[in-house]
Amino acid sequence: MKILIKNKDINEALIKVSNLGFVPTMGSLHKGHEFLIKQSKKKCNQTLVSIFINPTQFNNKKDYLSYPKNLKKDLNILKKLKVNYVYIPNKKDIYSSKRKGAIVLKKENRVLCAKFRKGHFEGVIDVMDRLTNIIKPNKIFMGEKDYQQLLLVKKFIEKKYKTKIVSCKTIRNKEKLALSSRNQLLNKQDLIKATKIAKELFHFKIFLKKRKKIKSLLQKKIVSLKKNFNVKIDYLEIRKKNNLKSSLSIKNSKIFIAYFIDKVRLIDNF
Ligand code: AMP
């Protein structure tokens, strides 16, 4: 496994690689990331994983500073998975060039996390543009756990590059909680809370399949989650899978949630 730090290292290492799979991460790797890596290894000749906590996608400095970091453990995981390259760039290298033209989300895309985390997806798209330009992968593997991110990045990258975005299912623990690096920030009790919420929403989706008055059921669910779990909810909404337009039926749609347990913001979709 080669560790690459500088952009120059990337150019030298990848010059003869064809069909390269790229898995962008912010580290603190878990089985969700491992699944993406395994998919890349299956579908590509070589796999590169990046570990970069991108400052520009954090709309809150404290959130950025407290983001979990476990580089040593991550490298062990990647070695075991027999990843070919790990790219650990520094901020200066990624942001050495000024971008031409700001990234502006269309009004119709300013929903869910785009509405609640101002500048977040602009930061995500910018860094994905920079990473794709440096790495020039054939495929990028991304998780449905961050569904809105997946759709926005896919649209941008596939329009600008030949690179294809491959979407990968969300990996959950046995009790339906989506694996997330941020789960590490939760204490035992809060982890139980997050698990109960995930289970509840999983069953809620099945329940909604046979119902009509979805809007009022959603409102009731928001009230009950707040009351039973003492969480702050940014949104609990049903939106179409293909374009994230608001939906009044669960058909071809997903339930999206973003909520806080104390200061930890979690997102999921079902
Ligand atoms: P992150 O390190 O959180 O920025 O995530 C890096 C990539 O892993 C993104 O494409 C995420 O959507 C994906 N990912 C994170 N959690 C999971 C999960 N539980 N299952 C599948 N993919 C995931």
Side-chain angles (χ1 to χ4, degrees):
M1 185 174 83
K2 263 194 193 149
I3 297 178
L4 311 167
I5 309 283
K6 297 272 169 203
N7 296 358
K8 190 174 79 65
D9 304 339
I10 292 265
N11 296 337
E12 282 168 13
L14 302 182
I15 197 154
K16 285 193 185 134
V17 177
S18 63
N19 194 13
L20 177 71
F22 170 37
V23 182
T25 83
M26 298 208 295
S28 289
L29 304 179
H30 50 66
K31 300 270 182 231
H33 298 114
E34 287 188 28
F35 180 71
L36 266 52
I37 293 166
K38 285 178 185 161
Q39 291 303 106
S40 171
K41 287 185 58 110
K42 243 190 225 173
K43 294 186 174 138
C44 299
N45 295 342
Q46 307 231 322
T47 292
L48 180 147
V49 176
S50 67
I51 299 177
F52 180 59
I53 304 178
N54 173 36
T56 68
Q57 71 188 67
F58 287 82
N59 53 328
N60 174 323
K61 189 137 195 213
K62 262 195 192 152
D63 188 25
Y64 170 59
L65 294 174
S66 63
Y67 197 83
K69 296 164 194 77
N70 297 287
L71 188 57
K72 223 171 162 187
K73 198 172 152 220
D74 289 348
L75 291 176
N76 277 330
I77 291 173
L78 297 174
K79 232 183 247 169
K80 273 197 195 126
L81 289 172
K82 296 197 168 68
V83 161
N84 304 96
Y85 307 98
V86 189
Y87 178 38
I88 314 172
N90 50 50
K91 280 182 268 175
K92 261 203 322 215
D93 279 347
I94 293 290
Y95 290 104
S96 60
S97 64
K98 221 177 149 205
R99 77 167 303 114
K100 290 176 211 140
I103 287 159
V104 183
L105 292 191
K106 284 188 186 152
K107 195 171 168 222
E108 74 226 37
N109 289 329
R110 282 185 236 141
V111 299
L112 302 175
C113 283
K115 181 172 155 194
F116 285 90
R117 294 186 74 188
K118 292 265 165 358
H120 168 64
F121 288 120
E122 290 84 344
V124 170
I125 293 169
D126 186 19
V127 79
M128 285 304 298
D129 186 15
R130 289 168 187 272
L131 289 170
T132 306
N133 193 34
I134 295 165
I135 298 162
K136 300 182 175 59
N138 294 71
K139 295 186 179 73
I140 302 178
F141 294 80
M142 299 185 73
E144 287 182 6
K145 158 76 171 50
D146 301 277
Y147 197 85
Q148 190 176 15
Q149 164 177 285
L150 172 69
L151 290 194
L152 288 170
V153 170
K154 186 176 170 70
K155 214 171 199 175
F156 183 93
I157 294 292
E158 292 188 348
K159 194 173 168 195
K160 182 166 173 182
Y161 300 92
K162 282 189 187 146
T163 305
K164 287 274 165 260
I165 304 289
V166 182
S167 92
C168 302
K169 69 178 179 185
T170 301
I171 303 299
R172 300 176 180 278
N173 70 11
K174 271 187 237 143
E175 294 170 296
K176 307 273 182 269
L177 178 66
L179 302 186
S180 164
S181 306
R182 287 178 190 272
N183 292 352
Q184 289 183 21
L185 301 171
L186 300 173
N187 63 31
K188 217 172 171 184
Q189 265 191 342
D190 289 342
L191 207 53
I192 292 171
K193 212 184 243 191
T195 304
K196 283 185 178 165
I197 290 172
K199 236 189 229 172
E200 206 169 308
L201 290 175
F202 179 82
H203 292 295
F204 184 52
K205 182 171 182 185
I206 297 168
F207 167 77
L208 286 182
K209 281 185 183 158
K210 295 173 215 130
R211 307 282 151 162
K212 285 214 169 96
K213 290 180 181 159
I214 277 190
K215 223 174 171 178
S216 72
L217 290 169
L218 261 182
Q219 281 315 311
K220 276 190 193 150
K221 184 52 89 182
I222 292 174
V223 172
S224 82
L225 287 176
K226 280 183 184 168
K227 188 169 152 244
N228 297 338
F229 298 107
N230 188 29
V231 287
K232 178 180 168 293
I233 298 178
D234 270 354
Y235 58 77
L236 177 71
E237 294 178 21
I238 299 178
R239 289 184 174 268
K240 295 269 181 223
K241 274 183 201 172
N242 60 343
N243 58 15
L244 296 188
K245 287 217 162 78
S246 200
S247 172
L248 287 175
S249 141
I250 205 71
K251 203 172 162 224
N252 300 323
S253 302
K254 276 176 165 281
I255 300 177
F256 293 87
I257 188 164
Y259 68 99
F260 287 87
I261 298 185
D262 275 336
K263 295 206 164 47
V264 182
R265 189 176 190 272
L266 300 173
I267 59 168
D268 203 350
N269 61 84
F270 296 85

